[in-house]
Amino acid sequence: MKTIYEFTVKDRKGNPVSLKEYANEVLLIVNTATKCGFTPTYADLEKLYEKYHAQGFEILDFPCNQFAQQAPGTDESIHQFCKLNYGTKFPQFKKIKVNGDDAEPLYKFLKEQKGFAGWDETHPIYPVLDKILSKEDPDYKNKPDIKWNFTKFLINKKGQVVKRFEPTEKIEHVAAEIEKLLKE
């Protein structure tokens, strides 16, 4: 069975990083943006990181500008924004594409493993997203593509994708799943 450890990505300075470096850790892989309605999620992610990092948890942050150009700027300016505004300490990688032919291979794999997980329709941003996405593609819910910024993939200590969380998912649900994997 293929795992995320077979992939190499680039850190924000362009250096190759083998995901084997994260073997035996629980990972949350997230596509992010600095000018999005979900950008305050950075604060939630940092809280998760601070709470679980010492127990073998890591967040891998991949800025992505594919959704309404909400991640403008250079890799370094995005990094500085996150540090200054949200105090982030988790690893941030080079800006990537998560959908389309030129999507990062890691993201092609993630989407093959876990398709669209569905919205929390009680979230206040849900109606706006659904309207935008339905206009572009009425069948969008049946496709595995990343729908928006702050989609999260949870990876177990063996490098397997175990869960996908859409941006509207409550952070408490994500935390509960992280805790389960850390105990395995």
Side-chain angles (χ1 to χ4, degrees):
M1 177 183 219
K2 198 171 183 181
T3 69
I4 64 149
Y5 303 143
E6 297 173 41
F7 295 92
T8 297
V9 294
K10 291 188 175 167
D11 69 14
R12 74 176 190 280
K13 296 187 186 297
N15 301 311
V17 176
S18 169
L19 294 182
K20 287 177 189 161
E21 290 183 26
Y22 299 101
N24 301 312
E25 292 187 77
V26 172
L27 304 175
L28 193 65
I29 300 175
V30 189
N31 64 294
T32 60
T34 54
K35 306 276 187 228
C36 175
F38 291 108
T39 298
T41 302
Y42 272 119
D44 295 330
L45 293 173
E46 184 56 29
K47 285 178 191 163
L48 289 176
Y49 187 73
E50 289 172 12
K51 184 172 184 178
Y52 301 115
H53 182 66
Q55 299 173 49
F57 172 68
E58 194 68 71
I59 294 173
L60 307 183
D61 173 2
F62 290 89
C64 175
N65 200 35
Q66 280 188 289
F67 305 99
Q69 285 70 53
Q70 294 179 340
T74 64
D75 294 310
E76 193 54 36
S77 68
I78 290 169
H79 178 69
Q80 290 304 317
F81 172 88
C82 294
K83 270 179 60 176
L84 291 171
N85 292 286
Y86 298 102
T88 58
K89 295 175 197 78
F90 47 83
Q92 195 168 57
F93 293 83
K94 197 149 196 58
K95 194 187 305 187
I96 62 165
K97 290 189 176 177
V98 297
N99 290 331
D101 293 338
D102 53 352
E104 179 69 34
L106 170 64
Y107 265 82
K108 289 180 181 181
F109 173 73
L110 294 171
K111 294 182 296 184
E112 286 170 7
Q113 301 302 301
K114 295 289 174 193
F116 179 59
W119 301 113
D120 171 353
E121 295 184 8
T122 65
H123 194 286
I125 298 178
Y126 162 72
V128 176
L129 282 178
D130 187 56
K131 184 177 179 182
I132 291 168
L133 296 168
S134 294
K135 188 176 178 184
E136 288 176 18
D137 179 2
D139 194 37
Y140 83 90
K141 290 181 182 177
N142 294 315
K143 296 177 180 160
D145 279 354
I146 304 298
K147 308 304 179 207
W148 209 257
N149 307 306
F150 293 92
T151 299
K152 298 164 229 31
F153 289 90
L154 187 60
I155 314 300
N156 68 16
K157 294 177 186 179
K158 297 175 185 169
Q160 300 161 326
V161 184
V162 295
K163 205 142 187 108
R164 174 173 166 167
F165 302 99
E166 301 306 327
T168 56
E169 186 71 44
K170 290 177 177 63
I171 205 70
E172 309 85 69
H173 296 162
V174 178
E177 295 298 325
I178 290 167
E179 286 181 13
K180 285 183 200 172
L181 291 181
L182 287 170
K183 290 175 185 170
E184 287 182 357

